[in-house]
Amino acid sequence: MSQKFRGVIPALITPFTADNQVDVEGFKRNIEFAIKNGVSAIVPCGTTGEAATLSALEHKKVTDAAVEVSSVPVIAGTGSNNTAEAIEYSKHAADAGAAGVLLITPYYNKPTQNGLIAHYEKIADSVDIPMILYNVPGRTSVDMSASTIAELAKHPNIVGIKEATGDMGKATEILSKTADEDFVLLSGDDIATLPLMSLGAVGVISVISNIVPNKMVQMVSAFENGNLAEAMKIHYELAPLMKVLFVETNPGPIKAAAGLAGHAAGPLRLPLVSLQPSSLEALVVELKKCGVLK
């Protein structure tokens, strides 16, 4: 089951219109662009999709639009710091036809490791859909331990993790502890993709793939085909852009980049604001170097 979740999987931005409504048609065009460039699956309603400021109705609308237009698996972001709400979103995603769901660790509440196990097992017992855990302590202030992840990997509905700590030692421990389970590790950080794949990760849930999906697909494919030199060449070519896409809080830079590249993007929702001029200038420099802009 977990093997369908591999390769390059863009964490899609949610484009908004000038009056702050979800740009559904623009969103569909962005999905078609990503699929045409070889991505393996897509993630709507993640961190990069500004899920935190989508209303419940918008959240479901974006998921529905993704499933409607996508010819690759849809992994819907359905996480919440409210377990009941995460179950509601996950049930909706399953009913809509999503292939899986991505569930961030509960933020703000700061649950214990036992609380994390109870949260995820409750969702996995309530909704029959493959689940990918999402560990990003820089966003949530909660770090899911490798032992907790290994315990959760025993559940038949929990099939993988998006690991966004960038900690190679921890990734090694997770992969070791889950080796006997039907469970995959995906990078949650573009720049860590190649190092993590060398340890056994099977792909990336990617920010940069909103604008250069083809390059990320080429890098991952090169590695999988045993051409490490080519994979490293692309990694180093993209690394400065990967870095500048986090010069301010994600998804500010990637949304600006997407708009500059002609994709549907629109404004950020408060409390996020447009990039500072110096950040935008640095972003444009790297977009030109990678051929996104002339």
Side-chain angles (χ1 to χ4, degrees):
M1 184 188 294
S2 64
Q3 293 309 305
K4 72 171 84 169
F5 306 123
R6 60 185 305 121
V8 176
I9 305 169
L12 298 166
I13 62 170
T14 302
F16 297 122
T17 61
D19 60 350
N20 209 22
Q21 302 300 305
V22 174
D23 179 1
V24 175
E25 293 310 309
F27 181 62
K28 290 179 179 179
R29 289 194 303 274
N30 289 353
I31 291 171
E32 288 166 349
F33 164 75
I35 292 171
K36 186 174 76 173
N37 282 278
V39 303
S40 303
I42 56 171
V43 172
C45 299
T47 304
T48 308
E50 295 177 82
T53 48
L54 294 177
S55 69
L57 186 63
E58 288 173 332
H59 198 287
K60 293 172 183 178
K61 180 195 290 189
V62 170
T63 298
D64 289 343
V67 172
E68 179 189 333
V69 75
S70 181
S71 58
V72 299
V74 174
I75 306 166
T78 58
S80 173
N81 66 335
N82 174 341
T83 305
E85 184 176 66
I87 291 170
E88 177 190 345
Y89 285 151
S90 298
K91 283 182 174 176
H92 173 265
D95 291 343
V101 291
L102 177 69
L103 289 140
I104 196 165
T105 52
Y107 39 88
Y108 191 76
N109 315 57
K110 295 185 76 172
T112 62
Q113 297 300 307
N114 286 340
L116 290 172
I117 290 170
H119 169 77
Y120 282 115
E121 286 185 342
K122 179 71 172 178
I123 301 165
D125 289 341
S126 301
V127 190
D128 189 18
I129 190 171
M131 289 172 44
I132 298 174
L133 312 172
Y134 179 14
N135 190 44
V136 57
R139 285 272 186 176
T140 65
S141 80
V142 175
D143 190 5
M144 194 161 25
S145 73
S147 296
T148 294
I149 294 161
E151 181 64 27
L152 290 169
K154 296 174 184 175
H155 196 292
N157 281 347
I158 299 177
V159 302
I161 184 164
K162 177 184 177 184
E163 226 311 288
T165 64
D167 183 338
M168 300 299 142
K170 179 166 188 179
T172 299
E173 189 178 0
I174 294 167
L175 287 161
S176 177
K177 287 179 181 291
T178 60
D180 294 333
E181 307 294 340
D182 180 21
F183 189 85
V184 298
L185 187 144
L186 294 157
S187 175
D189 185 358
D190 284 308
I191 207 160
T193 303
L194 192 56
L196 282 173
M197 290 190 76
S198 75
L199 299 175
V202 298
V204 57
I205 296 179
S206 166
V207 172
I208 199 173
S209 294
N210 281 277
I211 52 172
V212 286
N214 57 327
K215 299 247 188 199
M216 285 298 284
V217 169
Q218 288 165 13
M219 185 185 79
V220 168
S221 297
F223 179 85
E224 290 178 334
N225 292 328
N227 191 345
L228 182 57
E230 178 65 15
M232 288 176 63
K233 177 184 172 187
I234 299 168
H235 168 84
Y236 281 106
E237 176 190 341
L238 293 179
L241 179 55
M242 291 171 175
K243 184 177 179 181
V244 82
L245 285 174
F246 288 86
V247 68
E248 291 187 22
T249 303
N250 180 53
I254 189 61
K255 211 162 190 188
L260 290 167
H263 304 298
L268 295 157
R269 279 192 172 168
L270 290 171
L272 298 182
V273 294
S274 300
L275 299 187
Q276 292 293 310
S278 59
S279 299
L280 184 61
E281 184 179 346
L283 178 63
V284 168
V285 167
E286 296 305 332
L287 290 171
K288 288 180 176 176
K289 285 181 184 175
C290 285
V292 177
L293 299 179
K294 294 182 178 178

